[in-house]
Amino acid sequence: MTKNDRANFGSKMGVILASAGSAVGLGNVWRFPYETGNYGGSAFIIIYLGCVILLGLPIMVGEFVIGRRSRTNAAGAFRVLAPGTPWRWVGRMGILASFLILCYYSVVAGWTLEFVAEALTNSFVGKTPADFVASFDEFSTNSWRPLIWLVVFLLLTHFIIVQGVEKGIEKSSKFMMPMLFILIVVLAGCSMTLPGAEKGIEFLLKPDWSKVTGRVFLGAMGQAFFSLSLGLGCLCTYASYFSKETNLTRTAFSVGIIDTFVAVLAGFIIFPAAFSVGIKPDAGPGLIFITLPNVFQQAFSDAPILAYLFSVLFYILLALAALTSTISMHEVVTAYLHEEFKLTRKKAAWMVTSACMVLGTLCSLSLGVLKGATLFGLTFFDLFDFVTAKLMLPFGGLFISIFIGWYLDKKITRQEITNEGSLKVPTYKLIVFILKYVAPIAISLIFIHELGLFK
Ligand code: PFF
């Protein structure tokens, strides 16, 4: 494809939904609650919200500027805008990060399919909270079942990617995002009325600042980047499909608001229910998978048909939300291989899918038979998560803000943000100021403090 015949998203709504489809996923419903649980609740959420507003939104606008201006994949974008400089390594690091996240994210995405199957076969009925914990442990440490779902999930992602941008990505986002949103609101309402839910609500609303350390800041910053799909050129790649009329700032704000709402609401589903049934908030990656089935069983104990319908619908929508995110990660790597190495899209996609199957298998087995194989004290699954979310993405964000704030010609930034002067963007100066000073300083300070770079 040449620059001019690249595909575009078909409509304004399509742009927002596809970007929100990338942002909203397991990061909101699975990772946000378990990180909130790990880091002690409300104070983490407040710092997270600070990171979204202060770092996430301006950096998202920055990624949009880079992507739409260059109209190419994440690595190519830096080559086009900063030819002959090492900036292209920022794009390459992002592509590697996308690939690594896809590997372990697809494992959890596969778990959602297992839960769709369990919901469909009505197998939550009659189980106690302890049964849910035991059966999740048995499933996630099993050597075969999670692998089968991993392969199925990667193949689903693969076939949508091969269909291309508009048909595949845009259409699938359009109907599932609003449905997921409505269901999450309903479930949060149900969860908050369970007996003993108040403790969970308190956990979410009453900050305990004594628990806040540098690690909490690094965790919150990493979660903000992860959840908003930032720092790895994903939204930059999507922005390369935006049209000239897309309002970059408004799109970034809409995506940020939708993403944050879903994450916080997911917290209001999980924690009231977890406290209600006595599951510890720091139960780790299995948290939502052991807590949610209880919500369906208990909130609808008088109406089993509703319990059935809601659980089936919820897991299908969760799987679809994960799918629109895996598509976006896959697209970053596929677009790179396709455009930079002149491979056909199909061949590029197959390379990504098969490599992910191999590394994803390693991540999946590291929760069971390979639990003992650790590096720096972390299993493969945890290592992939740590290296990407807590190191590569914030580093990517740091470099993107320096690129826009200090390297890129201001005229280009202004032209892109104001659509060649046709839009009034009152936050323009603030965004540029944040990208120039606030984001680089804040991200560096968190790194220096937490990683002990100067100790
Ligand atoms: N933002 C996605 C989520 O919250 O589930 C995860 C993700 C998608 C991360 C795409 C990075 C990415 F490039």
Side-chain angles (χ1 to χ4, degrees):
M1 259 193 294
T2 63
K3 266 191 204 171
N4 294 333
D5 64 14
R6 285 182 105 240
N8 268 333
F9 286 124
S11 67
K12 206 155 75 181
M13 203 55 191
V15 163
I16 295 179
L17 287 177
S19 311
S22 164
V24 175
L26 296 171
N28 309 60
V29 182
W30 163 73
R31 199 175 187 281
F32 176 78
Y34 96 72
E35 286 288 84
T36 303
N38 275 343
Y39 292 119
S42 176
F44 172 85
I45 299 182
I46 295 171
I47 299 169
Y48 169 79
L49 294 178
C51 290
V52 168
I53 296 168
L54 212 61
L55 305 175
L57 297 182
I59 291 176
M60 193 185 295
V61 175
E63 281 206 24
F64 284 167
V65 167
I66 296 171
R68 189 174 63 177
R69 184 68 179 202
S70 61
R71 294 232 162 265
T72 185
N73 66 82
F78 286 95
R79 211 194 43 236
V80 169
L81 298 177
T85 66
W87 280 109
R88 64 183 180 283
W89 285 99
V90 176
R92 288 179 183 163
M93 180 180 77
I95 289 159
L96 178 64
S98 284
F99 172 72
L100 294 177
I101 297 178
L102 183 61
C103 295
Y104 76 91
Y105 193 96
S106 304
V107 173
V108 184
W111 296 351
T112 64
L113 294 181
E114 161 83 9
F115 277 72
V116 170
E118 287 194 18
L120 276 171
T121 51
N122 217 358
S123 51
F124 299 141
V125 176
K127 282 190 178 161
T128 64
D131 294 335
F132 287 124
V133 175
S135 69
F136 178 76
D137 272 353
E138 193 266 316
F139 164 71
S140 62
T141 55
N142 185 292
S143 295
W144 290 107
R145 257 162 56 217
L147 293 188
I148 295 169
W149 292 124
L150 165 72
V151 170
V152 172
F153 208 94
L154 278 170
L155 290 178
L156 280 174
T157 309
H158 177 90
F159 288 115
I160 296 182
I161 283 287
V162 177
Q163 288 285 307
V165 177
E166 193 183 338
K167 265 194 272 162
I169 302 175
E170 191 176 340
K171 283 214 180 110
S172 46
S173 300
K174 255 185 188 160
F175 86 102
M176 56 130 300
M177 288 287 302
M179 288 240 297
L180 180 70
F181 202 74
I182 295 169
L183 199 67
I184 284 184
V185 172
V186 173
L187 288 177
C190 295
S191 177
M192 284 191 291
T193 51
L194 291 176
E198 315 76 46
K199 280 228 172 89
I201 299 176
E202 197 173 293
F203 182 76
L204 287 166
L205 295 181
K206 258 203 181 153
D208 176 1
W209 295 105
S210 67
K211 291 208 179 111
V212 174
T213 60
R215 286 188 54 225
V216 178
F217 278 89
L218 185 66
M221 174 168 77
Q223 176 59 25
F225 281 102
F226 188 94
S227 189
L228 294 169
S229 308
L230 285 183
L232 39 52
C234 172
L235 293 182
C236 172
T237 305
Y238 269 24
S240 73
Y241 306 120
F242 287 1
S243 77
K244 279 210 290 274
E245 284 76 42
T246 305
N247 182 334
L248 301 187
T249 322
R250 198 181 294 161
T251 305
F253 283 22
S254 310
V255 173
I257 289 171
I258 295 172
D259 189 70
T260 307
F261 250 109
V262 175
V264 173
L265 279 174
F268 278 93
I269 301 179
I270 302 300
F271 291 108
F275 278 88
S276 163
V277 295
I279 289 169
K280 285 220 175 102
D282 58 357
L287 181 66
I288 70 154
F289 293 98
I290 53 185
T291 309
L292 270 174
N294 290 294
V295 179
F296 300 118
Q297 289 313 294
Q298 305 206 355
F300 305 105
S301 52
D302 299 336
I305 182 73
L306 278 186
Y308 180 79
L309 285 179
F310 273 33
S311 55
V312 170
L313 196 61
F314 179 82
Y315 287 113
I316 290 179
L317 289 173
L318 186 60
L320 287 172
L323 188 61
T324 48
S325 300
T326 52
I327 289 167
S328 71
M329 289 177 244
H330 201 300
E331 175 64 22
V332 172
V333 196
T334 302
Y336 169 68
L337 295 176
H338 168 58
E339 292 179 353
E340 299 290 303
F341 297 94
K342 310 283 171 262
L343 301 175
T344 60
R345 249 187 96 82
K346 208 166 173 185
K347 199 163 179 191
W350 269 122
M351 285 176 68
V352 180
T353 305
S354 22
C356 265
M357 281 181 190
V358 176
L359 286 182
T361 300
L362 208 60
C363 290
S364 179
L365 294 178
S366 79
L367 299 167
V369 285
L370 292 183
K371 208 175 191 131
T374 57
L375 212 60
F376 309 113
L378 297 171
T379 61
F380 287 114
F381 185 97
D382 291 338
L383 187 71
F384 275 45
D385 182 75
F386 181 84
V387 169
T388 51
K390 293 192 181 140
L391 298 180
M392 294 174 95
L393 302 194
F395 262 119
L398 173 66
F399 288 124
I400 287 165
S401 53
I402 295 175
F403 184 76
I404 300 274
W406 296 92
Y407 182 85
L408 194 66
D409 187 346
K410 288 286 151 309
K411 259 199 289 185
I412 296 184
T413 312
R414 182 180 280 279
Q415 278 170 358
E416 287 302 322
I417 292 184
T418 63
N419 287 358
E420 311 277 341
S422 65
L423 291 177
K424 271 216 162 70
V425 182
T427 47
Y428 171 75
K429 281 208 170 119
L430 181 65
I431 292 171
V432 173
F433 178 80
I434 291 179
L435 290 174
K436 192 162 184 168
Y437 300 105
V438 182
I441 294 174
I443 300 174
S444 307
L445 281 180
I446 294 176
F447 269 138
I448 290 169
H449 184 275
E450 178 50 22
L451 302 178
L453 295 183
F454 285 154
K455 268 181 205 161

